[in-house]
Amino acid sequence: MGLARFLQLSDLHLGRPFGWLPPDSRTERRGDQRRALEHAVTQAIERDVHAILIPGDLFDLEGVDSDTMAFAIGSAFDVAGCPPVFIAPGNHDPYFEGSHYWSPRRLAARGLKWPDHVHIFSNATWSAAPLPALEGVRVWGRCFTANVPSLERPLEPAALARVSAANPTGFDVAVFHGSREGYLPASQKLTGPFSDDEVLRAPFAYLAAGHYHQASRIVANDGASSGVRLAYAGSAVAIDTTEVGAHGALEVRVEYGNHRRPFVEVELVELDSRKVYDVTADVSGCTSAERVDRRIQKALEDAGVTTGDIVTVRLTGRLARGVRYAAPPPDLAARVFHLRVDRRALRPDHDLEALAASDARTTEEKFARALLQERDRESDPVQRALIESALYYGLDAFRLREVVPGWEDLEA
Ligand SMILES: [Mn+2]
Protein backbone atom coordinates (compact mmCIF):
# COMPACT_ATOMS: atom_id res chain seq x y z
CA MET A 1 0.00 0.00 0.00
CA GLY A 2 1.14 3.54 -0.71
CA LEU A 3 0.30 6.64 1.24
CA ALA A 4 0.09 9.95 -0.60
CA ARG A 5 -0.13 13.17 1.38
CA PHE A 6 -1.21 16.62 0.20
CA LEU A 7 -1.68 19.99 1.82
CA GLN A 8 -4.68 21.81 0.35
CA LEU A 9 -5.23 25.50 0.84
CA SER A 10 -7.21 28.09 -1.07
CA ASP A 11 -9.01 31.40 -0.93
CA LEU A 12 -6.16 33.14 0.85
CA HIS A 13 -7.08 36.34 -1.03
CA LEU A 14 -3.63 37.92 -0.75
CA GLY A 15 -3.82 41.69 -1.24
CA ARG A 16 -7.32 41.95 0.25
CA PRO A 17 -8.02 45.60 1.17
CA PHE A 18 -9.82 44.77 4.48
CA GLY A 19 -11.66 48.08 4.28
CA TRP A 20 -13.89 47.10 7.24
CA LEU A 21 -10.87 47.32 9.58
CA PRO A 22 -9.16 50.53 10.79
CA PRO A 23 -6.06 51.35 8.67
CA ASP A 24 -3.42 49.97 11.09
CA SER A 25 -5.32 46.73 11.50
CA ARG A 26 -5.63 46.30 7.73
CA THR A 27 -1.86 46.17 7.40
CA GLU A 28 -1.68 43.74 10.29
CA ARG A 29 -4.35 41.47 8.80
CA ARG A 30 -2.50 41.45 5.48
CA GLY A 31 0.54 40.38 7.49
CA ASP A 32 -1.57 37.56 8.96
CA GLN A 33 -2.30 36.34 5.44
CA ARG A 34 1.38 36.16 4.59
CA ARG A 35 2.23 34.40 7.83
CA ALA A 36 -0.55 31.90 7.12
CA LEU A 37 1.02 31.04 3.75
CA GLU A 38 4.49 30.76 5.31
CA HIS A 39 3.02 28.54 8.03
CA ALA A 40 1.30 26.39 5.38
CA VAL A 41 4.61 25.79 3.60
CA THR A 42 6.30 24.95 6.93
CA GLN A 43 3.48 22.51 7.74
CA ALA A 44 3.75 20.95 4.27
CA ILE A 45 7.44 20.30 4.88
CA GLU A 46 6.99 19.03 8.46
CA ARG A 47 4.13 16.75 7.46
CA ASP A 48 6.21 15.49 4.56
CA VAL A 49 3.44 16.01 2.00
CA HIS A 50 4.03 15.13 -1.64
CA ALA A 51 2.40 18.28 -3.00
CA ILE A 52 0.64 21.51 -2.06
CA LEU A 53 -2.70 21.93 -3.86
CA ILE A 54 -4.12 25.46 -4.29
CA PRO A 55 -7.59 25.45 -5.92
CA GLY A 56 -7.86 29.16 -6.56
CA ASP A 57 -8.13 32.67 -5.16
CA LEU A 58 -4.57 32.79 -3.86
CA PHE A 59 -4.84 36.48 -4.77
CA ASP A 60 -7.81 38.72 -4.08
CA LEU A 61 -7.70 40.82 -7.23
CA GLU A 62 -5.74 41.44 -10.38
CA GLY A 63 -4.00 44.59 -9.17
CA VAL A 64 -2.17 43.39 -6.06
CA ASP A 65 0.68 45.57 -4.79
CA SER A 66 4.27 44.79 -5.72
CA ASP A 67 5.18 43.78 -2.15
CA THR A 68 2.50 41.11 -2.11
CA MET A 69 3.61 39.85 -5.52
CA ALA A 70 7.26 39.75 -4.51
CA PHE A 71 6.29 37.80 -1.40
CA ALA A 72 4.04 35.23 -3.13
CA ILE A 73 6.16 34.68 -6.23
CA GLY A 74 9.66 35.34 -4.95
CA SER A 75 9.70 33.97 -1.42
CA ALA A 76 6.64 32.08 -0.08
CA PHE A 77 7.41 28.79 -1.89
CA ASP A 78 11.13 29.40 -2.34
CA VAL A 79 11.91 27.41 0.78
CA ALA A 80 14.28 24.44 1.09
CA GLY A 81 12.25 21.23 1.13
CA CYS A 82 9.06 22.80 -0.27
CA PRO A 83 7.20 20.09 -2.23
CA PRO A 84 5.72 20.68 -5.71
CA VAL A 85 2.90 23.25 -5.71
CA PHE A 86 -0.12 23.01 -8.04
CA ILE A 87 -2.20 26.16 -8.48
CA ALA A 88 -5.56 26.27 -10.32
CA PRO A 89 -6.44 30.00 -10.57
CA GLY A 90 -9.96 30.95 -9.47
CA ASN A 91 -12.45 33.68 -10.26
CA HIS A 92 -10.60 36.28 -8.16
CA ASP A 93 -7.19 35.54 -9.70
CA PRO A 94 -7.94 34.24 -13.23
CA TYR A 95 -5.17 33.24 -15.60
CA PHE A 96 -4.87 35.32 -18.75
CA GLU A 97 -2.01 36.46 -20.93
CA GLY A 98 -1.89 39.97 -19.43
CA SER A 99 -2.06 38.84 -15.79
CA HIS A 100 0.44 40.63 -13.55
CA TYR A 101 1.20 37.59 -11.46
CA TRP A 102 0.58 34.60 -13.75
CA SER A 103 1.88 35.76 -17.15
CA PRO A 104 5.54 34.66 -17.45
CA ARG A 105 6.15 37.51 -19.92
CA ARG A 106 4.85 40.22 -17.57
CA LEU A 107 6.66 38.69 -14.63
CA ALA A 108 9.94 38.61 -16.54
CA ALA A 109 9.56 42.33 -17.21
CA ARG A 110 9.60 42.85 -13.43
CA GLY A 111 12.43 40.41 -12.81
CA LEU A 112 10.05 37.87 -11.23
CA LYS A 113 9.48 34.19 -11.92
CA TRP A 114 7.56 31.48 -10.11
CA PRO A 115 9.90 28.80 -8.74
CA ASP A 116 10.26 25.76 -11.00
CA HIS A 117 8.40 23.52 -8.54
CA VAL A 118 5.26 25.68 -8.81
CA HIS A 119 2.93 24.41 -11.54
CA ILE A 120 0.16 26.79 -12.62
CA PHE A 121 -2.78 25.36 -14.55
CA SER A 122 -3.17 27.93 -17.31
CA ASN A 123 -5.96 26.29 -19.26
CA ALA A 124 -9.73 26.48 -18.82
CA THR A 125 -9.91 22.80 -19.80
CA TRP A 126 -8.57 19.94 -17.70
CA SER A 127 -4.89 19.12 -18.05
CA ALA A 128 -2.66 16.80 -16.03
CA ALA A 129 0.72 17.14 -14.40
CA PRO A 130 2.65 14.16 -13.10
CA LEU A 131 3.86 13.93 -9.53
CA PRO A 132 7.34 12.45 -9.98
CA ALA A 133 7.65 11.31 -6.36
CA LEU A 134 4.54 9.11 -6.70
CA GLU A 135 4.40 6.73 -9.62
CA GLY A 136 1.02 6.57 -11.33
CA VAL A 137 -0.32 9.63 -9.51
CA ARG A 138 -1.43 12.62 -11.56
CA VAL A 139 -2.70 16.05 -10.55
CA TRP A 140 -5.40 17.45 -12.87
CA GLY A 141 -6.38 21.09 -12.90
CA ARG A 142 -8.31 23.74 -14.76
CA CYS A 143 -8.40 27.49 -14.25
CA PHE A 144 -10.66 30.50 -14.57
CA THR A 145 -9.67 32.88 -17.35
CA ALA A 146 -11.79 35.90 -16.37
CA ASN A 147 -13.28 37.37 -13.22
CA VAL A 148 -16.86 36.97 -14.36
CA PRO A 149 -19.27 34.33 -13.05
CA SER A 150 -18.98 31.28 -15.29
CA LEU A 151 -21.81 28.84 -15.84
CA GLU A 152 -19.48 26.33 -17.47
CA ARG A 153 -19.76 23.06 -15.58
CA PRO A 154 -16.25 21.79 -14.75
CA LEU A 155 -17.43 18.24 -14.00
CA GLU A 156 -19.95 17.64 -16.78
CA PRO A 157 -19.14 14.64 -19.00
CA ALA A 158 -18.13 16.83 -21.99
CA ALA A 159 -15.62 18.73 -19.83
CA LEU A 160 -14.20 15.47 -18.43
CA ALA A 161 -13.82 13.87 -21.88
CA ARG A 162 -10.17 15.03 -21.85
CA VAL A 163 -9.43 13.15 -18.64
CA SER A 164 -7.85 9.80 -19.50
CA ALA A 165 -8.22 6.70 -17.32
CA ALA A 166 -6.21 6.69 -14.13
CA ASN A 167 -3.13 4.49 -13.87
CA PRO A 168 -4.26 1.36 -11.97
CA THR A 169 -1.13 1.54 -9.80
CA GLY A 170 -1.93 5.11 -8.76
CA PHE A 171 -4.84 7.55 -8.84
CA ASP A 172 -5.87 10.98 -10.11
CA VAL A 173 -6.48 14.11 -8.05
CA ALA A 174 -8.36 17.21 -9.27
CA VAL A 175 -7.63 20.82 -8.28
CA PHE A 176 -10.27 23.36 -9.30
CA HIS A 177 -12.39 26.33 -8.29
CA GLY A 178 -16.17 26.14 -8.39
CA SER A 179 -19.53 26.11 -6.64
CA ARG A 180 -21.15 23.02 -5.16
CA GLU A 181 -24.81 23.44 -6.09
CA GLY A 182 -27.23 23.63 -3.20
CA TYR A 183 -24.61 24.99 -0.79
CA LEU A 184 -23.93 28.49 -2.15
CA PRO A 185 -23.37 30.86 0.79
CA ALA A 186 -25.45 34.06 0.61
CA SER A 187 -22.33 36.20 0.30
CA GLN A 188 -20.74 34.33 -2.64
CA LYS A 189 -21.24 34.10 -6.37
CA LEU A 190 -22.29 30.94 -8.20
CA THR A 191 -19.48 30.19 -10.60
CA GLY A 192 -18.23 26.97 -12.16
CA PRO A 193 -21.22 25.04 -10.76
CA PHE A 194 -21.19 21.29 -10.15
CA SER A 195 -23.58 18.83 -8.55
CA ASP A 196 -22.82 16.14 -5.97
CA ASP A 197 -23.80 13.61 -8.60
CA GLU A 198 -21.17 14.96 -11.02
CA VAL A 199 -18.55 14.70 -8.26
CA LEU A 200 -19.42 11.06 -7.61
CA ARG A 201 -19.27 10.17 -11.31
CA ALA A 202 -15.98 12.01 -11.96
CA PRO A 203 -12.90 9.80 -12.41
CA PHE A 204 -10.90 11.49 -9.63
CA ALA A 205 -10.07 9.73 -6.36
CA TYR A 206 -10.11 13.14 -4.69
CA LEU A 207 -11.19 16.64 -5.70
CA ALA A 208 -9.59 19.65 -3.99
CA ALA A 209 -12.14 22.45 -4.42
CA GLY A 210 -11.83 26.17 -3.79
CA HIS A 211 -14.27 29.10 -3.69
CA TYR A 212 -16.48 28.52 -0.63
CA HIS A 213 -14.99 30.08 2.49
CA GLN A 214 -16.32 27.59 5.04
CA ALA A 215 -14.79 24.12 5.05
CA SER A 216 -17.05 21.30 3.86
CA ARG A 217 -16.76 17.87 2.29
CA ILE A 218 -18.51 15.15 0.31
CA VAL A 219 -18.04 11.58 1.50
CA ALA A 220 -18.66 8.61 -0.79
CA ASN A 221 -17.93 4.91 -0.72
CA ASP A 222 -18.15 3.81 -4.32
CA GLY A 223 -16.72 4.97 -7.63
CA ALA A 224 -13.17 6.28 -7.84
CA SER A 225 -12.39 6.09 -4.10
CA SER A 226 -13.90 5.71 -0.66
CA GLY A 227 -13.84 8.23 2.16
CA VAL A 228 -13.72 11.92 1.41
CA ARG A 229 -14.27 12.47 -2.32
CA LEU A 230 -14.26 16.28 -2.38
CA ALA A 231 -13.43 18.95 0.18
CA TYR A 232 -13.27 22.69 0.43
CA ALA A 233 -10.56 23.82 2.86
CA GLY A 234 -12.40 27.17 3.12
CA SER A 235 -10.61 30.49 3.31
CA ALA A 236 -7.13 30.03 4.79
CA VAL A 237 -7.70 33.06 7.04
CA ALA A 238 -11.07 34.67 7.73
CA ILE A 239 -11.75 37.45 5.21
CA ASP A 240 -14.61 39.21 6.98
CA THR A 241 -16.74 39.21 10.14
CA THR A 242 -19.08 36.52 8.81
CA GLU A 243 -16.33 33.87 8.58
CA VAL A 244 -16.61 32.51 12.10
CA GLY A 245 -14.79 29.45 13.42
CA ALA A 246 -11.43 27.89 12.58
CA HIS A 247 -9.74 28.57 9.23
CA GLY A 248 -6.76 26.94 7.59
CA ALA A 249 -5.62 24.20 5.24
CA LEU A 250 -6.40 20.49 4.91
CA GLU A 251 -3.97 17.64 5.09
CA VAL A 252 -5.28 15.09 2.59
CA ARG A 253 -4.11 11.48 2.95
CA VAL A 254 -4.74 8.89 0.23
CA GLU A 255 -4.05 5.19 0.86
CA TYR A 256 -3.74 3.42 -2.48
CA GLY A 257 -2.15 0.62 -4.44
CA ASN A 258 -2.57 -3.13 -5.10
CA HIS A 259 -5.43 -2.29 -7.45
CA ARG A 260 -7.58 -1.42 -4.48
CA ARG A 261 -9.92 1.51 -4.33
CA PRO A 262 -8.05 4.47 -2.81
CA PHE A 263 -9.17 5.55 0.65
CA VAL A 264 -9.12 9.30 1.39
CA GLU A 265 -9.23 11.20 4.66
CA VAL A 266 -8.70 14.90 5.45
CA GLU A 267 -7.69 16.80 8.56
CA LEU A 268 -7.86 20.53 9.31
CA VAL A 269 -4.53 22.32 9.77
CA GLU A 270 -5.30 25.66 11.42
CA LEU A 271 -3.51 28.60 9.84
CA ASP A 272 -5.44 31.63 11.11
CA SER A 273 -4.05 32.89 14.41
CA ARG A 274 -7.24 34.89 14.95
CA LYS A 275 -10.80 33.67 15.28
CA VAL A 276 -13.96 35.45 14.24
CA TYR A 277 -16.83 35.49 16.75
CA ASP A 278 -20.41 36.67 16.47
CA VAL A 279 -21.99 36.93 19.93
CA THR A 280 -25.12 38.41 21.46
CA ALA A 281 -25.43 40.49 24.65
CA ASP A 282 -28.87 41.18 26.12
CA VAL A 283 -28.72 44.60 27.74
CA SER A 284 -32.28 44.66 29.12
CA GLY A 285 -32.33 46.31 32.53
CA CYS A 286 -28.97 48.08 32.11
CA THR A 287 -29.36 51.48 33.72
CA SER A 288 -26.08 52.96 32.49
CA ALA A 289 -23.60 52.70 29.63
CA GLU A 290 -21.08 51.15 32.05
CA ARG A 291 -23.51 48.32 32.71
CA VAL A 292 -23.86 47.76 28.97
CA ASP A 293 -20.05 47.57 28.79
CA ARG A 294 -20.10 44.93 31.52
CA ARG A 295 -22.65 42.83 29.61
CA ILE A 296 -20.44 43.05 26.51
CA GLN A 297 -17.42 42.08 28.58
CA LYS A 298 -19.30 39.06 29.95
CA ALA A 299 -20.43 38.01 26.47
CA LEU A 300 -16.77 38.07 25.35
CA GLU A 301 -15.70 35.97 28.34
CA ASP A 302 -18.54 33.47 27.90
CA ALA A 303 -17.57 32.94 24.26
CA GLY A 304 -13.90 32.36 25.15
CA VAL A 305 -12.72 35.30 23.05
CA THR A 306 -8.98 36.09 23.28
CA THR A 307 -7.04 39.27 22.59
CA GLY A 308 -6.22 38.55 18.97
CA ASP A 309 -9.78 37.86 17.89
CA ILE A 310 -12.29 39.64 15.65
CA VAL A 311 -15.66 40.07 17.35
CA THR A 312 -19.14 41.29 16.50
CA VAL A 313 -21.34 41.84 19.57
CA ARG A 314 -25.04 42.15 18.82
CA LEU A 315 -26.91 44.07 21.50
CA THR A 316 -30.46 42.88 22.11
CA GLY A 317 -33.25 43.67 24.54
CA ARG A 318 -34.55 47.04 25.66
CA LEU A 319 -32.22 49.82 26.63
CA ALA A 320 -33.55 51.60 29.71
CA ARG A 321 -34.93 55.09 29.22
CA GLY A 322 -32.28 57.78 29.41
CA VAL A 323 -29.39 55.41 28.68
CA ARG A 324 -27.42 56.29 25.56
CA TYR A 325 -24.99 53.78 24.14
CA ALA A 326 -22.85 54.95 21.23
CA ALA A 327 -19.77 52.71 21.16
CA PRO A 328 -17.56 50.66 23.50
CA PRO A 329 -14.87 52.68 25.30
CA PRO A 330 -11.26 52.28 24.07
CA ASP A 331 -10.20 49.99 26.94
CA LEU A 332 -13.02 47.55 26.16
CA ALA A 333 -12.35 47.70 22.41
CA ALA A 334 -8.65 47.09 23.08
CA ARG A 335 -9.39 43.70 24.66
CA VAL A 336 -9.64 42.19 21.16
CA PHE A 337 -8.10 42.80 17.73
CA HIS A 338 -11.35 44.21 16.40
CA LEU A 339 -14.65 44.81 18.20
CA ARG A 340 -17.79 45.88 16.39
CA VAL A 341 -20.93 46.55 18.41
CA ASP A 342 -24.13 46.18 16.43
CA ARG A 343 -27.03 48.07 18.04
CA ARG A 344 -29.62 47.50 15.35
CA ALA A 345 -31.61 44.93 17.34
CA LEU A 346 -31.86 47.18 20.41
CA ARG A 347 -35.31 48.50 21.26
CA PRO A 348 -36.15 51.45 23.51
CA ASP A 349 -37.94 51.02 26.78
CA HIS A 350 -41.32 52.73 27.07
CA ASP A 351 -42.38 55.06 29.90
CA LEU A 352 -45.41 53.15 31.17
CA GLU A 353 -45.94 55.45 34.16
CA ALA A 354 -46.16 58.52 31.95
CA LEU A 355 -48.59 56.71 29.66
CA ALA A 356 -50.74 55.63 32.64
CA ALA A 357 -50.85 59.21 33.87
CA SER A 358 -51.66 60.67 30.46
CA ASP A 359 -55.06 62.09 29.61
CA ALA A 360 -55.38 59.48 26.82
CA ARG A 361 -55.93 61.86 23.95
CA THR A 362 -53.96 60.08 21.21
CA THR A 363 -54.72 56.60 19.91
CA GLU A 364 -51.38 55.47 21.31
CA GLU A 365 -52.25 56.77 24.78
CA LYS A 366 -55.72 55.23 24.66
CA PHE A 367 -54.23 51.89 23.64
CA ALA A 368 -51.63 52.05 26.43
CA ARG A 369 -54.16 53.05 29.09
CA ALA A 370 -56.55 50.25 28.10
CA LEU A 371 -53.86 47.59 28.37
CA LEU A 372 -52.40 49.03 31.58
CA GLN A 373 -55.83 48.93 33.23
CA GLU A 374 -56.29 45.36 32.09
CA ARG A 375 -52.86 44.48 33.48
CA ASP A 376 -53.65 46.08 36.83
CA ARG A 377 -56.89 44.06 37.12
CA GLU A 378 -54.96 40.81 36.48
CA SER A 379 -53.52 38.97 39.47
CA ASP A 380 -51.82 36.05 37.69
CA PRO A 381 -48.18 37.13 37.08
CA VAL A 382 -47.93 35.14 33.82
CA GLN A 383 -51.04 36.85 32.45
CA ARG A 384 -49.73 40.22 33.59
CA ALA A 385 -46.44 39.63 31.77
CA LEU A 386 -48.30 38.62 28.61
CA ILE A 387 -50.39 41.77 28.69
CA GLU A 388 -47.27 43.85 29.21
CA SER A 389 -45.55 42.21 26.26
CA ALA A 390 -48.60 42.93 24.08
CA LEU A 391 -48.37 46.54 25.27
CA TYR A 392 -44.69 46.77 24.32
CA TYR A 393 -45.29 45.28 20.87
CA GLY A 394 -48.09 47.77 20.35
CA LEU A 395 -45.97 50.74 21.44
CA ASP A 396 -43.11 49.58 19.19
CA ALA A 397 -45.58 49.51 16.33
CA PHE A 398 -46.72 53.06 17.11
CA ARG A 399 -43.27 54.53 17.63
CA LEU A 400 -40.93 52.52 15.43
CA ARG A 401 -43.45 51.33 12.85
CA GLU A 402 -41.92 47.91 13.25
CA VAL A 403 -42.19 45.03 15.65
CA VAL A 404 -39.31 42.72 16.51
CA PRO A 405 -40.25 39.56 18.40
CA GLY A 406 -38.38 39.40 21.68
CA TRP A 407 -40.82 38.72 24.48
CA GLU A 408 -41.93 35.21 23.62
CA ASP A 409 -39.63 33.68 26.20
CA LEU A 410 -41.35 35.43 29.10
CA GLU A 411 -43.12 32.27 30.16
CA ALA A 412 -39.91 30.25 30.21
MN1 LIG B 1 -13.66 32.37 -5.53
Side-chain angles (χ1 to χ4, degrees), residues 312-357:
T312 301
V313 178
R314 299 179 191 280
L315 303 186
T316 64
R318 289 184 185 272
L319 200 55
R321 278 176 300 113
V323 178
R324 292 271 175 277
Y325 195 81
D331 60 322
L332 179 55
R335 284 174 177 266
V336 292
F337 178 67
H338 184 64
L339 177 65
R340 183 172 73 98
V341 175
D342 184 333
R343 298 174 299 158
R344 284 174 303 175
L346 267 187
R347 290 294 169 265
D349 210 346
H350 296 291
D351 188 347
L352 300 185
E353 279 167 41
L355 285 164

Side-chain angles (χ1 to χ4, degrees), residues 143-306:
C143 70
F144 275 69
T145 55
N147 188 355
V148 288
S150 166
L151 291 179
E152 268 178 55
R153 304 186 68 86
L155 300 180
E156 68 180 359
L160 292 172
R162 305 174 59 92
V163 178
S164 53
N167 185 326
T169 64
F171 61 90
D172 284 345
V173 162
V175 185
F176 77 115
H177 202 76
S179 303
R180 181 184 179 191
E181 288 171 328
Y183 296 84
L184 182 72
S187 58
Q188 292 201 260
K189 294 190 180 82
L190 184 85
T191 192
F194 60 87
S195 66
D196 285 18
D197 196 50
E198 285 172 328
V199 170
L200 302 186
R201 288 166 194 263
F204 307 113
Y206 177 72
L207 298 95
H211 190 48
Y212 289 174
H213 286 189
Q214 295 291 349
S216 67
R217 60 182 71 170
I218 297 175
V219 174
N221 287 310
D222 56 7
S225 67
S226 56
V228 180
R229 183 68 54 83
L230 174 144
Y232 285 97
S235 47
V237 304
I239 292 302
D240 62 39
T241 55
T242 68
E243 298 186 3
V244 297
H247 285 263
L250 295 176
E251 184 185 318
V252 181
R253 291 184 290 267
V254 184
E255 279 178 32
Y256 69 103
N258 299 337
H259 299 266
R260 284 178 53 183
R261 178 179 287 157
F263 173 73
V264 187
E265 53 186 1
V266 305
E267 176 196 333
L268 176 70
V269 179
E270 280 194 46
L271 295 178
D272 196 352
S273 57
R274 308 183 190 283
K275 270 206 175 72
V276 174
Y277 289 88
D278 194 316
V279 301
T280 299
D282 187 337
V283 299
S284 296
C286 285
T287 50
S288 68
E290 290 72 31
R291 283 174 193 254
V292 174
D293 289 341
R294 266 182 259 157
R295 295 269 175 96
I296 293 174
Q297 173 71 35
K298 177 148 193 322
L300 300 184
E301 282 162 15
D302 290 349
V305 169
T306 61

Side-chain angles (χ1 to χ4, degrees), residues 11 57 91-92 177 211:
D11 300 273
D57 291 359
N91 61 320
H92 274 261
H177 202 76
H211 190 48

Side-chain angles (χ1 to χ4, degrees), residues 69 73 95 97-114:
M69 277 179 51
I73 299 161
Y95 190 106
E97 276 316 302
S99 165
H100 292 288
Y101 39 73
W102 299 134
S103 161
R105 184 178 50 84
R106 293 200 76 146
L107 286 173
R110 289 175 173 250
L112 289 170
K113 179 182 178 293
W114 287 93

Side-chain angles (χ1 to χ4, degrees), residues 37-113:
L37 186 53
E38 288 168 343
H39 190 199
V41 172
T42 306
Q43 284 293 310
I45 296 167
E46 280 179 11
R47 289 167 186 255
D48 209 14
V49 306
H50 296 96
I52 296 175
L53 310 176
I54 303 184
D57 291 359
L58 177 62
F59 299 101
D60 186 56
L61 67 179
E62 178 51 27
V64 296
D65 58 287
S66 51
D67 267 12
T68 300
M69 277 179 51
F71 162 75
I73 299 161
S75 85
F77 302 107
D78 194 11
V79 178
C82 180
V85 180
F86 297 88
I87 303 176
N91 61 320
H92 274 261
D93 57 359
Y95 190 106
F96 58 97
E97 276 316 302
S99 165
H100 292 288
Y101 39 73
W102 299 134
S103 161
R105 184 178 50 84
R106 293 200 76 146
L107 286 173
R110 289 175 173 250
L112 289 170
K113 179 182 178 293

